[in-house]
């Protein structure tokens, strides 16, 4: 083996060795997400007690007075908050555009949803905002952000549409009501949909939402001769739900 070949071999070995810890950390983070969202038989989970080993952008659930059931397009949805995660998704300011940091976070969630432990389950993606701005505007923004997450998971990880329901709560359920304008309230919540319970009768006390309108995001103004100049954006940010 010549000197150049030996040097190249040593260099590649160092590069590969350096990536092993990062890959191991990512695998551990995906495993932690799976454990937090998987309804494993015999596993005792209390809200707010999960989260060990989760990435920094993921937060264990807290006890918030959220509805245990909602109705989406006349379909009753029963939620199990024992298997729920808050994800701090970094969107572009005042928009539903996913930043590169957001895509990295969602990639961990996508890998977890592909796992055998979660593959047969459905989840609600709920968008939340802080208390800044009008309530109606915040509800619309949080809904579009939740749809952006769903589009990303469908397109890049082939998660079936039927597995992901979407809702936008706006500022209705603040994670930290004592700090209503804090960034911790701007999040996306992923919660297990309980398919084992019987349908719930439709009542006025059950929140009713619609997911029939798939929001399409406005064209990006940062273009030069039609070319996108903002690296944070790609086709996911401009198209409706992929076919």
């Amino acid at each position: 083996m010549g000197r150049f070949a030996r040097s190249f071999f040593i260099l590649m070995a160092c590069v590969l060795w350096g990536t092993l810890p990062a890959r191991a950390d990512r695998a551990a983070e995906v495993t932690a997400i799976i454990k937090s969202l998987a309804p494993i038989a015999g596993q005792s989970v209390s809200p707010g007690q999960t989260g060990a080993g989760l990435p920094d952008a993921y937060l264990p659930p807290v006890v918030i007075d959220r509805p245990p059931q909602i109705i989406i397009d006349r379909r009753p949805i029963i939620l199990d908050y024992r298997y729920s995660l808050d994800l701090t998704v970094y969107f572009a300011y005042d928009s539903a555009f996913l930043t590169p940091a957001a895509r990295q976070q969602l990639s961990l969630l996508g890998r977890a949803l592909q796992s055998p432990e979660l593959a047969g389950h459905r989840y609600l993606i709920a968008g939340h905002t802080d208390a800044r701005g009008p309530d109606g505007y915040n509800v619309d923004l949080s809904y579009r952000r939740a749809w952006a997450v769903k589009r990303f998971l469908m397109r890049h990880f082939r998660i079936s549409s039927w597995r992901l329901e979407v809702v936008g709560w706006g500022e209705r359920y603040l994670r930290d009501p004592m700090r209503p304008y804090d960034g911790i309230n701007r999040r996306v919540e992923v919660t297990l949909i309980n398919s084992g319970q019987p349908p719930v009768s439709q009542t006025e006390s059950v929140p009713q939402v619609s997911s029939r309108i798939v929001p399409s995001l406005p064209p990006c103004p940062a273009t030069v001769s039609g070319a996108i100049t903002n690296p944070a954006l790609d086709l996911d940010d401009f198209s409706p739900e992929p076919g």
Side-chain angles (χ1 to χ4, degrees):
M1 182 182 296
R3 180 181 301 177
F4 175 80
R6 286 197 300 270
S7 300
F8 179 78
F9 177 78
I10 294 173
L11 176 62
M12 292 302 298
C14 292
V15 171
L16 292 175
W17 179 260
T19 61
L20 289 179
R23 291 180 180 178
D25 290 343
R26 291 294 184 181
E29 291 172 347
V30 172
T31 300
I33 295 172
I34 294 172
K35 289 182 177 179
S36 297
L37 294 178
I40 302 173
Q43 174 179 272
S44 178
V45 179
S46 299
Q49 300 302 312
T50 59
L54 288 170
D56 292 339
Y58 288 80
L59 298 172
V62 295
V63 180
I64 305 174
D65 187 21
R66 295 157 299 179
Q69 59 196 44
I70 62 177
I71 295 176
I72 300 180
D73 299 331
R74 300 182 179 180
R75 293 177 289 108
I77 304 294
I78 315 264
L79 301 170
D80 190 341
Y81 289 105
R82 295 176 301 168
Y83 308 99
S84 182
L85 282 177
D86 276 355
L87 170 60
T88 303
V89 180
Y90 295 97
F91 291 92
Y93 177 73
D94 200 28
S95 79
F97 294 135
L98 292 172
T99 64
R103 297 174 190 278
Q104 291 181 3
Q105 299 157 16
L106 293 176
S107 293
L108 297 177
L109 177 61
R111 288 171 56 187
L113 291 174
Q114 287 178 329
S115 68
E117 294 87 347
L118 304 186
H121 298 288
R122 301 172 60 222
Y123 293 88
L124 177 71
I125 300 177
H128 297 266
T129 67
D130 60 24
R132 287 187 175 87
D135 179 67
Y137 178 84
N138 285 336
V139 169
D140 176 72
L141 177 61
S142 62
Y143 178 72
R144 290 188 290 118
R145 286 179 169 177
W147 254 110
V149 171
K150 177 174 179 174
R151 277 195 295 259
F152 179 86
L153 294 172
M154 291 176 60
R155 181 179 298 275
H156 294 285
F157 292 90
R158 299 187 178 277
I159 305 300
S160 299
S161 179
W162 65 269
R163 292 183 58 197
L164 304 174
E165 299 284 354
V166 173
V167 67
W169 291 129
E171 59 189 80
R172 189 176 303 179
Y173 304 108
L174 297 174
R175 181 177 175 88
D176 188 349
M178 300 301 294
R179 297 183 295 166
Y181 305 114
D182 193 87
I184 197 173
N185 298 300
R186 299 190 294 270
R187 68 199 193 281
V188 172
E189 186 180 28
V190 183
T191 303
L192 176 71
I193 296 175
N194 191 338
S195 58
Q197 297 188 23
V200 180
S201 59
Q202 182 170 335
T203 64
E204 294 182 359
S205 62
V206 179
Q208 302 184 40
V209 297
S210 173
S211 65
R212 294 180 180 178
I213 300 176
V214 181
S216 58
L217 304 181
C220 175
T223 60
V224 178
S225 301
I228 299 175
T229 58
N230 188 338
L233 312 180
D234 68 11
L235 293 179
D236 293 342
D237 299 313
F238 302 97
S239 61
E241 178 184 7

